Amino acid sequence: MLFNSIEFIIFYLLVFVIYWSIVDHKKQNLLLLISSYVFYGWWNWKFLSLIIVSSIIDFSVGRMIFKTNSDKKKRGWLLVSLCSNLGLLGFFKYYNFFAESFYDLVSIFGWRPNDMTLNIILPVGISFYTFQTLSYTIDIYKNKIKPTNNVVSFFTYIAFFPQLVAGPIERASSLLPQIEGKRSFSKDFFKEGIVQISVGFFRKIVIADSLGEYVDAVYGNIDIHNGTTIILATIFYAFQIYYDFSGYSDIAIGTAKLLGFQFNRNFNLPYFSRSLTEFWRRWHISLSSWLRDYLYIPLGGNRGGRIFTYRNLMLTMLLGGLWHGSSWNFVIWGGLHGLVLSIEKIIMTRDNYSNIKNKIGFLGHFTTLLIVLFAWIFFRSQSFDSALNAIRTIFSFSYGFPFIGDINVMVNSIFVLFIGIAFDFILYKRQINLEELGRNFNLSKITIFSSVTVILLILFYSSTNNFIYFQF
């Protein structure tokens, strides 16, 4: 079930009314669990078995890790969690990728084995709920949290529908206590949630989907377009994926808030960053912090000297790129980010870094944006050759009018993008987030704000546009 569908609106309104008519929070949790399984099963009920299997394994493993006093047995149980969860993720998401890569490699030496690929459907959300359930067992192993004894609470934590298929990736230390505790209807939460949901739908349907029409036309046939067209499409894509994914996060956070839950922020105006390091503190925060805590730091982090720090940083970003999809383009995208982050790490260790940071100003913003845009070419291109063709065209200086057949598409994209950037700039300059914005609204402002949003959504709505991160 998609957030941007009529089915979800009806589904959520029913859940909301029934949920707040129930007094007992344990019964509320049972409703949320059943609703979450309906939400996910609406797409393909067969894949519910994967979520349930993962939940059973990690609920049991978490308790066994906590009960045993043997470090060896603790590691053994943690290995069960890692192997089972990453095994499922690896099979469904990466089997064909590695099978094709193996075939290409051995073909160089003249061996052409039979086709080893399988007709595998990638379960929606598996990358997100796998990381979420893994963080639970790892945190228990590290004595950061205690396991829950309530099956319904844990299963609800894994399958909670607002963030099930595309995050934010919530830690058990933050979300589980909220699930196990009593919730009460909050006026502030209601106002914040309505504003965040409204902004999320606006970002997705009005801005991201409008930009996507131009981007798809260009990147769908990159060879026929000039450099100007590709540059504009790349800029549009940078904001398309941002508004698409941040829009999803806004809706997820807002819908959870209306049910009494507080999710962590997932985006913080990343394109206003002055460095790539800052960019990753603002972009997909739940993923970047997960990679930092469960991959970069366990690899050694910045301990062990500079060489090991750069190695750990590169490995983290390469695997972070691969997490996004089974393609070498994603690995290259991650590698480019890892390389620049390593260079920035070198600069940051210099004695005069504070002076450099103070003087960098606009140049830092501009350079960071160029690096991010260049890397997005690999992320969006359909193949490695397509990405190379796009880069060759850009640097061949074959510029001209960025025309794709219908000028209205370009004009409309520029118009909605201007609105989006202007709104973000106001938030950035005023140092205010959407939660604070909603909290400061009274009922009349909430009504006007949401009504205008609904009108715009009706004008721009298309039921065919999935969220980009569903494919990851």
Side-chain angles (χ1 to χ4, degrees):
M1 194 180 299
L2 302 175
F3 281 171
N4 56 330
S5 66
I6 303 300
E7 292 86 353
F8 175 75
I9 302 299
I10 297 171
F11 162 83
Y12 185 77
L13 289 175
L14 286 173
V15 171
F16 179 84
V17 171
I18 298 172
Y19 176 85
W20 285 117
S21 67
I22 299 173
V23 177
D24 186 356
H25 77 281
K26 293 182 179 179
K27 292 180 180 179
Q28 287 180 328
N29 291 344
L30 184 59
L31 171 68
L32 291 179
L33 179 59
I34 295 171
S35 302
S36 297
Y37 284 164
V38 170
F39 173 84
Y40 192 83
W42 199 273
W43 171 70
N44 191 329
W45 64 268
K46 295 178 182 178
F47 287 116
L48 275 173
S49 59
L50 295 179
I51 299 177
I52 294 172
V53 166
S54 292
S55 301
I56 292 172
I57 291 172
D58 288 307
F59 177 79
S60 304
V61 166
R63 297 182 69 186
M64 295 307 297
I65 291 174
F66 186 73
K67 284 181 178 179
T68 183
N69 294 320
S70 168
D71 289 340
K72 184 178 180 180
K73 288 183 179 179
K74 285 179 184 287
R75 288 192 295 270
W77 282 113
L78 179 62
L79 194 61
V80 170
S81 175
L82 291 170
C83 290
S84 56
N85 284 289
L86 294 179
L88 288 171
L89 177 64
F91 174 75
F92 282 97
K93 191 165 184 175
Y94 302 110
Y95 174 81
N96 282 341
F97 169 66
F98 286 115
E100 292 169 359
S101 298
F102 174 77
Y103 180 87
D104 292 339
L105 178 63
V106 298
S107 296
I108 298 174
F109 304 99
W111 180 31
R112 301 187 183 278
N114 294 329
D115 184 16
M116 296 181 290
T117 59
L118 301 173
N119 185 22
I120 300 174
I121 300 174
L122 178 65
V124 169
I126 189 170
S127 298
F128 290 91
Y129 70 72
T130 296
F131 273 21
Q132 185 150 312
T133 190
L134 277 178
S135 69
Y136 173 77
T137 52
I138 295 172
D139 282 353
I140 294 173
Y141 176 79
K142 292 181 176 180
N143 295 317
K144 291 184 176 181
I145 62 171
K146 294 181 180 180
T148 178
N149 293 317
N150 191 306
V151 175
V152 173
S153 294
F154 181 74
F155 278 44
T156 303
Y157 159 69
I158 300 299
F160 192 27
F161 71 85
Q163 43 81 242
L164 173 59
V165 295
I169 303 169
E170 288 293 320
R171 310 280 181 92
S173 58
S174 173
L175 185 54
L176 253 180
Q178 297 184 64
I179 293 174
E180 296 188 323
K182 293 183 179 180
R183 280 92 58 185
S184 58
F185 186 82
S186 165
K187 183 179 178 181
D188 283 342
F189 266 25
F190 180 78
K191 292 192 296 181
E192 293 170 19
I194 291 295
V195 169
Q196 200 139 10
I197 291 169
S198 299
V199 172
F201 275 119
F202 179 83
R203 283 173 166 169
K204 162 60 181 171
I205 294 174
V206 177
I207 304 178
D209 290 350
S210 297
L211 295 174
E213 190 173 353
Y214 188 94
V215 173
D216 291 345
V218 175
Y219 271 92
N221 195 358
I222 204 79
D223 298 334
I224 68 172
H225 297 289
N226 60 37
T228 311
T229 307
I230 296 172
I231 289 173
L232 186 60
T234 304
I235 294 171
F236 283 175
Y237 179 69
F239 286 96
Q240 179 200 2
I241 193 170
Y242 163 61
Y243 285 120
D244 189 282
F245 194 21
S246 68
Y248 184 96
S249 296
D250 290 331
I251 299 168
I253 294 169
T255 52
K257 193 163 283 186
L258 292 185
L259 299 174
F261 295 92
Q262 176 75 60
F263 284 176
N264 292 309
R265 196 173 186 184
N266 207 25
F267 286 87
N268 184 18
L269 307 174
Y271 289 127
F272 291 100
S273 304
R274 289 193 296 176
S275 67
L276 203 63
T277 302
E278 183 183 352
F279 176 84
W280 277 103
R281 291 179 185 142
R282 293 172 173 268
W283 176 275
H284 201 348
I285 300 168
S286 63
L287 173 64
S288 58
S289 62
W290 197 101
L291 292 173
R292 179 197 65 207
D293 294 342
Y294 299 106
L295 187 56
Y296 176 69
I297 293 176
L299 283 171
N302 55 8
R303 305 183 303 274
R306 293 184 180 182
I307 299 300
F308 287 102
T309 298
Y310 306 144
R311 180 206 65 178
N312 298 336
L313 200 51
M314 281 297 297
L315 283 174
T316 299
M317 295 310 300
L318 287 170
L319 291 172
L322 187 61
W323 175 88
H324 281 83
S326 53
S327 165
W328 287 110
N329 275 24
F330 293 118
V331 178
I332 294 169
W333 172 81
L336 288 171
H337 279 266
L339 177 62
V340 177
L341 287 171
S342 298
I343 294 172
E344 289 185 355
K345 205 82 169 176
I346 295 171
I347 298 173
M348 288 177 184
T349 58
R350 296 179 59 175
D351 294 335
N352 63 340
Y353 171 67
S354 57
N355 293 329
I356 297 173
K357 184 178 180 181
N358 292 331
K359 293 178 181 179
I360 200 166
F362 173 75
L363 182 61
H365 291 291
F366 182 70
T367 304
T368 301
L369 184 59
L370 284 182
I371 293 167
V372 172
L373 286 173
F374 182 78
W376 280 136
I377 295 174
F378 288 95
F379 197 94
R380 178 58 181 83
S381 296
Q382 297 175 346
S383 66
F384 179 71
D385 289 339
S386 178
L388 288 184
N389 286 338
I391 294 169
R392 286 194 198 101
T393 304
I394 291 172
F395 286 98
S396 67
F397 303 102
S398 58
Y399 300 136
F401 189 77
F403 189 62
I404 61 166
D406 186 354
I407 194 171
N408 291 326
V409 173
M410 184 180 71
V411 172
N412 182 58
S413 298
I414 293 173
F415 176 70
V416 297
L417 180 57
F418 174 80
I419 294 174
I421 294 175
F423 180 72
D424 285 354
F425 184 74
I426 292 171
L427 295 178
Y428 179 74
K429 293 299 291 185
R430 293 180 60 186
Q431 294 296 300
I432 189 173
N433 56 42
L434 293 180
E435 289 88 346
E436 294 170 305
L437 187 68
R439 204 177 307 133
N440 294 332
F441 277 5
N442 55 33
L443 185 59
S444 60
K445 287 183 179 179
I446 290 283
T447 303
I448 295 171
F449 188 85
S450 56
S451 298
V452 171
T453 303
V454 169
I455 293 171
L456 289 171
L457 296 182
I458 293 172
L459 293 174
F460 283 83
Y461 177 74
S462 171
S463 61
T464 60
N465 293 311
N466 290 344
F467 288 88
I468 292 175
Y469 263 70
F470 276 21
Q471 63 186 286
F472 304 138

